[in-house]
Amino acid sequence: MLGADSTTDDVLAGVDLTGRTAVITGSSGGLGLETARALAARGAAVVLAARDRVKLDAAVAQLRDQVPGITVDSVLLDLADLTSVRAAAAEVADRHPVIDLLIDNAGVMACPLGRTTDGFETQFGTNHLGHFLFTTLLKEPLATAVAEHGSARVVVLSSGGHRLSPIRWDDPNWERSEDYFNWTAYGQSKTANALFALELDRRWSSDGIRAFSVHPGMIATDLGRHMQAEDFEYLSSVRRTGADSADGGRAVFKSVPQGAATTVWAATSPALEAHGGAYLENCSVAEPVDDPDATHGVRSWARDPDQAVRLWELSEDLVGA
Ligand SMILES: NC(=O)c1ccc[n+]([C@@H]2O[C@H](COP(=O)([O-])OP(=O)(O)OC[C@H]3O[C@@H](n4cnc5c(N)ncnc54)[C@H](OP(=O)(O)O)[C@@H]3O)[C@@H](O)[C@H]2O)c1
């Protein structure tokens, strides 16, 4: 039985992805690179997309060592720059007219107030708006996968951090308010990731394209690169108040292969056909939990269909789609 301790290889045991193509953003390291390795090990061709050419080349070399006979491509993609997003999507679609799996995995966390090239708050702009545009531009190759192979999936990495904030409809990019808090901004961006998957599934499931969002767990990766002492204090104070915390408030870390397990489950499990748009954690569909002290489950603001529609329309306006 799959659960919190399962690894990517546990999830994919017996799964054959030969002839399938997976595009993974933020795959130059962390969970994205492990996701690519695991999918490639089952026969998928993988396309790594990330913003740093040196890291990308190192990731490709690592995968070639780890997975004999791998088919791997790489594309430069800076999600914090919509010109780069458009160019990367065009390059990917040109080289890979059939995309079976799109894993929107890249992310930044808890950075100081900053702006993307197009002027969006860094976390909302990178984690959500960049992926919104990249994904919508790749609809055709995803639809072609449905025509040729019968299915296509989009997996969007959200986070338990979505519990830290709903969408701030009055000022999502902190253009008017001066109360910027790095964790609120991360929380908003991760709520946006969950709402995006919900609405994507509603809009595209009639074309055979299904979408899911994922909380991978807590995993020691480079994601914490912006964290200062006060951030660790803030996170442990949030955990201490967690009434349902089975570990008495201590952080329980997963390994990287455990952290990427729910992503590959979302990408491949036949059990999810009836759960399009769902938010997943620990290789299962998360339960709705609105207790503000809870440390698991999905809050209503991240699974509200009306807010999902509103976010889609706002995102279209902001990226000019
Ligand atoms: N680790 C956790 O505990 C945890 C928990 C909950 C959710 N998540 C989510 O899981 C996802 C993967 O996180 P991770 O832990 O693997 O983090 P990570 O090790 O920092 O990897 C993030 C990846 O995203 C890339 N990236 C960052 N900004 C980008 C941009 N503007 N354009 C393109 N690529 C960009 C990074 O490239 P560079 O190295 O070049 O910046 C890297 O390849 C994120 O969405 C995160 O929010 C992680």
Side-chain angles (χ1 to χ4, degrees):
M1 169 127 170
L2 298 174
D5 296 337
S6 303
T7 65
T8 42
D9 290 338
D10 294 336
V11 170
L12 294 177
V15 174
D16 182 5
L17 297 173
T18 308
R20 302 292 195 262
T21 298
V23 176
I24 305 117
T25 71
S27 37
S28 57
L31 302 179
L33 182 54
E34 168 59 13
T35 300
R37 183 209 61 78
L39 295 173
R42 308 308 311 176
V46 291
V47 183
L48 311 189
R51 61 180 166 178
D52 182 318
R53 176 44 68 193
V54 173
K55 286 187 187 177
L56 264 177
D57 288 346
V60 169
Q62 184 179 322
L63 288 183
R64 286 196 198 285
D65 278 350
Q66 289 175 317
V67 186
I70 188 174
T71 303
V72 55
D73 188 10
S74 66
V75 174
L76 265 183
L77 161 71
D78 184 354
L79 290 158
D81 177 350
L82 296 185
T83 303
S84 165
V85 172
R86 287 193 177 87
E91 199 178 332
V92 169
D94 184 50
R95 294 216 291 263
H96 304 280
V98 184
I99 297 174
D100 299 276
L101 302 172
L102 171 58
I103 316 289
D104 287 340
N105 162 85
V108 286
M109 180 178 80
C111 20
L113 180 59
R115 300 272 158 210
T116 67
T117 305
D118 305 272
F120 309 126
E121 184 280 317
T122 302
Q123 299 183 74
F124 188 59
T126 304
N127 298 351
H128 170 58
L129 292 172
H131 277 129
F132 175 84
L133 182 60
F134 189 62
T135 304
T136 50
L137 289 171
L138 290 176
K139 184 173 183 189
E140 199 173 314
L142 287 162
T144 307
V146 176
E148 294 201 1
H149 302 142
S151 68
R153 286 190 183 180
V154 178
V155 180
V156 187
L157 269 283
S158 176
S159 166
H162 82 274
R163 286 188 292 268
L164 298 173
S165 179
I167 304 295
R168 292 162 33 98
W169 295 110
D170 54 337
D171 192 16
N173 281 303
W174 275 268
E175 289 163 318
R176 289 180 293 284
S177 45
E178 291 176 3
D179 61 345
Y180 180 80
F181 181 47
N182 54 355
W183 290 105
T184 303
Y186 183 65
Q188 170 181 253
S189 75
K190 292 288 133 181
T191 290
N193 290 145
L195 290 173
F196 175 45
L198 184 63
E199 180 62 5
L200 193 65
D201 191 78
R202 191 186 72 79
R203 287 182 184 238
W204 291 6
S205 56
S206 56
D207 298 308
I209 303 166
R210 310 309 305 266
F212 305 91
S213 62
V214 164
H215 169 51
M218 215 183 325
I219 308 99
T221 64
D222 281 350
L223 192 66
R225 70 185 85 173
H226 296 289
M227 285 176 67
Q228 308 292 321
E230 60 267 27
D231 294 303
F232 290 101
E233 277 165 32
Y234 170 73
L235 283 191
S236 58
S237 75
V238 171
R239 287 195 65 78
R240 267 196 300 276
T241 58
D244 67 347
S245 175
D247 58 355
R250 276 176 292 110
V252 176
F253 280 89
K254 291 184 179 183
S255 68
V256 171
Q258 288 171 334
T262 303
T263 299
V264 299
W265 186 68
T268 59
S269 173
L272 285 170
E273 277 307 308
H275 299 280
Y279 171 100
L280 315 173
E281 60 185 354
N282 296 330
C283 299
S284 62
V285 176
E287 58 175 315
V289 178
D290 269 323
D291 175 353
D293 288 338
T295 56
H296 75 288
V298 55
R299 294 199 65 145
S300 328
W301 62 51
R303 56 188 191 88
D304 176 345
D306 295 333
Q307 295 200 50
V309 173
R310 191 173 171 190
L311 178 68
W312 186 285
E313 290 169 355
L314 172 69
S315 306
E316 277 181 330
D317 280 352
L318 290 173
V319 306

